[in-house]
């Protein structure tokens, strides 16, 4: 696991995806959420989305491969009914085929082997189950040097264009694929609105990483954006 994810987990960053919880709420408002739908949040981080979802009484499982994230998600969700948080790898999910109605992925896939993660997501979704993924997308080309700088800082496997995402979802067998752009959501929900939960002293080097992340956000703001990918199995 890269230092960037380690830094997020130490700071206890919740809503570590474009738009934060506000965009999550807008996206989820389009789904019928009730106690009959089984949801999986892959790469759930500190569990902010799970906490929100549990108010709809849906049974939810969150998985994350970073133990500190899992610790923080468990602490946050301890009081909630029908919520399970597990230390697991998205690339090798411990669930049977056809288990979930909805799978949510918020800024996770680019950190993993994307093909393998989509294979696993497809496998554990029920037929007609729904995937919604808010994922980093290149808006305007990057030079090789810039791409390498981002990949090595964030620990991405790769950075993709919208077309790449759509092609991979199609290859995996997903149907009714949509790639919604930021301007299809309320403007006030675009900003990164992360929450911080620090539970221990943080070494100085992680403060420097946070500063570098802020600088990258500014440097790449016109070239890196996101898509809300949705599709069914
Ligand atoms: C940018 S954070 C987003 C966290 C959360 N979804 C959110 O929006 O706050 C990416 C998360 O993906 C998790 N992650 C990365 N690779 C993973 C993998 N192979 N399996 C499970 N989780 C993974 C990281 O540990 C981290 O919590």
């Amino acid at each position: 696991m890269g230092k960037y994810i380690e830094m997020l987990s130490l700071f206890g960053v919740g809503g570590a995806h474009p738009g934060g919880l506000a965009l999550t709420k807008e996206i989820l408002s389009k789904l019928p959420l009730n106690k009959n739908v089984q949801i999986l949040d892959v790469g759930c981080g500190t569990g902010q989305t799970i906490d929100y979802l549990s108010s709809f009484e849906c049974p939810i499982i969150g998985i994350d491969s970073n133990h500190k994230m899992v610790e923080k998600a468990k602490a946050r969700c301890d009081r909630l009914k029908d919520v399970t948080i597990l230390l697991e790898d998205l690339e090798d999910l411990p669930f049977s085929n056809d288990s979930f109605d909805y799978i949510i992925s918020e800024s996770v896939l680019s950190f993993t082997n994307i093909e393998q993660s989509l294979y696993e997501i497809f496998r554990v979704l029920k037929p007609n189950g729904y995937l919604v993924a808010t994922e980093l997308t290149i808006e305007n080309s990057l030079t090789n040097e810039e791409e390498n700088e981002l990949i090595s800082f964030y620990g991405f496997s790769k950075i993709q264009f919208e077309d790449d995402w759509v092609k991979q979802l199609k290859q995996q067998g997903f149907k009714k694929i949509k790639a919604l752009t930021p301007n299809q959501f309320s403007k006030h929900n675009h900003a990164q609105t992360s929450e911080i939960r620090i539970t221990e002293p943080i070494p100085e080097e992680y403060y420097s990483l946070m500063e570098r992340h802020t600088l990258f956000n500014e440097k790449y703001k016109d070239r890196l954006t996101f898509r809300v990918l949705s599709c069914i199995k």
Side-chain angles (χ1 to χ4, degrees), residues 52 62 93 122 166 206 219:
Y52 170 69
L93 292 172
F122 190 85
V166 171
Y206 291 98
K219 177 174 175 184

Side-chain angles (χ1 to χ4, degrees), residues 90 105 107-112 114 117-118 121 133 135 157 165:
L90 166 56
S105 166
S107 282
V108 179
L109 295 172
S110 301
F111 293 99
T112 70
I114 298 171
S117 296
L118 290 178
I121 288 173
E135 299 295 343
S157 60
W165 286 116

Side-chain angles (χ1 to χ4, degrees), residues 21-230:
L21 184 62
L23 186 72
T24 299
K25 287 182 179 175
E26 188 176 345
I27 293 166
L28 296 177
S29 68
K30 296 174 177 71
L31 291 181
L33 297 169
N34 57 61
K35 60 180 177 0
N36 300 317
V37 293
Q38 175 75 54
I39 304 182
L40 175 66
D41 183 359
V42 294
C44 64
T46 66
Q48 191 190 51
T49 294
I50 294 176
D51 194 2
Y52 170 69
L53 274 170
S54 76
S55 61
F56 298 91
E57 299 184 348
C58 337
I60 307 161
I61 298 181
I63 66 115
D64 202 287
S65 57
N66 176 287
H67 76 97
K68 210 168 277 296
M69 288 292 199
V70 167
E71 215 174 84
K72 293 194 176 183
K74 279 188 172 166
R76 185 204 294 266
C77 298
D78 206 27
R79 68 188 202 290
L80 305 174
K81 227 180 111 223
D82 270 340
V83 169
T84 310
I85 313 284
L86 302 169
L87 180 67
E88 292 291 349
D89 185 353
L90 166 56
E91 294 172 30
D92 185 19
L93 292 172
F95 310 114
S96 318
N97 297 353
D98 307 341
S99 296
F100 297 94
D101 297 285
Y102 301 145
I103 296 185
I104 295 166
S105 166
E106 297 182 298
S107 282
V108 179
L109 295 172
S110 301
F111 293 99
T112 70
N113 176 324
I114 298 171
E115 287 81 4
Q116 178 60 24
S117 296
L118 290 178
Y119 172 85
E120 281 295 82
I121 288 173
F122 190 85
R123 182 180 69 73
V124 304
L125 262 181
K126 290 181 186 170
N128 290 316
Y130 185 80
L131 166 66
V132 61
T134 302
E135 299 295 343
L136 180 77
T137 304
I138 303 174
E139 197 64 67
N140 292 303
S141 295
L142 301 163
T143 64
N144 285 344
E145 207 173 275
E146 288 170 336
E147 205 166 318
N148 291 337
E149 168 175 77
L150 288 160
I151 285 174
S152 85
F153 178 76
Y154 288 100
F156 296 136
S157 60
K158 53 185 164 180
I159 320 178
Q160 311 212 106
F161 287 93
E162 176 183 317
D163 287 354
D164 302 316
W165 286 116
V166 171
K167 198 166 139 206
Q168 281 166 334
L169 290 166
K170 229 180 242 167
Q171 271 167 359
Q172 193 49 64
F174 285 101
K175 296 174 289 192
K176 299 197 178 166
I177 301 164
K178 286 189 195 149
L180 301 175
T181 61
N183 62 20
Q184 289 173 274
F185 295 90
S186 312
K187 249 209 157 56
H188 61 271
N189 287 345
H190 292 188
Q192 182 89 33
T193 50
S194 301
E195 151 213 88
I196 303 264
R197 290 187 172 198
I198 299 175
T199 52
E200 63 207 280
I202 299 179
E204 194 51 46
E205 67 168 310
Y206 291 98
Y207 285 91
S208 310
L209 285 180
M210 187 61 106
E211 272 171 35
R212 208 152 163 233
H213 164 63
T214 309
L215 291 175
F216 279 152
N217 268 346
E218 188 52 32
K219 177 174 175 184
Y220 291 106
K221 70 174 189 288
D222 297 325
R223 282 170 295 157
L224 283 183
T225 176
F226 66 91
R227 290 292 180 272
V228 176
L229 305 158
S230 70

